[in-house]
Amino acid sequence: MSEFERFVGELSAAEAERGRRLFRAVRVERGELFVRQGDPPNRVALVERGLFRLFGTDEGGNERTLAFRAEGELVCAYSAALRQEPSRIAIEALETSDVLVAERPAYDVLVAESPGWQQLIAKLTEELYLRLDQRQRELLLDDASTRYQRFVADHGELAARLTQRHIAAYVGVTPEALSRIRRRLISINDSGSRAA
């Protein structure tokens, strides 16, 4: 079953078919920006195969990775679309990715006219809010070591597909600091297993 079929699984056959007609297959090459910082939020994509990162760059040129999106997830500059303003983030393909893309105006019409799509998007928005709330709490309340451990626990399969630089940017540390955190955790685990 394709990711699109899973995505629209709870919709009626007519609503799913309307979505099938709207989305078109596109390949996004590794390293290509699907959305650039400052772009209008004019398209939305469903990841069939591949991996993306959502990130921002501050005035000093430092990148901050906000999230990753993989198979079965939507990729778009969501808050920019809601505010109807240029995107404050960029979205980069970390792997050559196959996505299904819809132009934002047509997608918005689809959602506005379809109760099933409205329910699906409401559910996705709720999930996104809960993820962002957890991420905000982690950044404000947890130290870097705890953030890294939580990332590996929650996204272990994803961690294997990412570079240490990308994980460090997500955790909010330099790659060198992440290496120190990892060495310290390995040392603690080795000490604990020897003591047992």
Side-chain angles (χ1 to χ4, degrees), residues 41-111:
N42 58 5
R43 50 189 188 157
V44 60
L46 175 72
V47 182
E48 281 282 333
R49 185 187 60 78
L51 179 62
F52 291 83
R53 75 176 177 125
L54 289 68
F55 69 99
T57 305
D58 66 20
E59 292 176 7
N62 301 307
E63 290 182 1
R64 306 279 190 229
T65 298
L66 309 169
F68 300 101
R69 297 288 183 265
E71 290 81 4
E73 295 183 292
L74 285 179
V75 176
C76 63
Y78 191 60
S79 63
L82 291 175
R83 292 185 178 117
Q84 298 182 342
E85 65 184 24
S87 178
R88 297 185 66 195
I89 64 165
I91 302 175
E92 175 190 19
L94 297 179
E95 301 172 351
T96 296
S97 301
D98 295 320
V99 296
L100 297 173
V101 177
E103 296 304 316
R104 191 76 207 205
Y107 173 80
D108 289 342
V109 168
L110 169 70
V111 173

Side-chain angles (χ1 to χ4, degrees), residues 102-171:
E103 296 304 316
R104 191 76 207 205
Y107 173 80
D108 289 342
V109 168
L110 169 70
V111 173
E113 295 178 349
S114 168
W117 278 92
Q118 289 170 18
Q119 289 176 348
L120 177 62
I121 299 308
K123 179 181 170 186
L124 292 173
T125 301
E126 183 178 290
E127 290 171 7
L128 178 62
Y129 171 79
L130 292 173
R131 275 198 230 169
L132 290 174
D133 180 62
Q134 177 180 339
R135 176 90 167 113
Q136 183 178 28
R137 279 184 285 116
E138 289 170 1
L139 289 170
L140 292 172
L141 303 174
D142 294 341
D143 63 23
S145 180
T146 303
R147 289 193 304 269
Y148 173 70
Q149 290 175 67
R150 188 179 313 268
F151 174 76
V152 172
D154 292 347
H155 308 288
E157 72 292 339
L158 195 60
R161 296 166 66 181
L162 297 167
T163 66
Q164 292 306 300
R165 182 176 71 85
H166 291 132
I167 294 171
Y170 181 81
V171 171

